[in-house]
Amino acid sequence: MEFLKDLWAFFKERKKWWLAPIIIILLLLGVIIIFGGSSAIAPFIYTLF
């Protein structure tokens, strides 16, 4: 949780709000890759790409 606090403080202090969407998209892609490789919904995720 400290990493998230540090990240929030960085955004707030440096005014780097344009980085937030990039980080969110990368996290979502990471979650899709992790769940897509090891779950029963993998064939449905592969059809999206």
Side-chain angles (χ1 to χ4, degrees):
M1 286 304 283
E2 185 153 342
F3 173 73
L4 294 177
K5 289 179 186 176
D6 288 340
L7 188 63
W8 178 255
F10 174 77
F11 284 154
K12 195 172 172 185
E13 184 175 328
R14 308 266 185 185
K15 307 287 191 234
K16 301 281 185 181
W17 296 110
W18 57 271
L19 285 173
I22 296 170
I23 292 173
I24 291 170
I25 289 172
L26 287 174
L27 287 173
L28 288 174
L29 281 173
V31 167
I32 288 174
I33 289 171
I34 289 171
F35 285 125
S38 63
S39 70
I41 62 169
F44 302 110
I45 293 175
Y46 292 141
T47 58
L48 293 176
F49 298 104

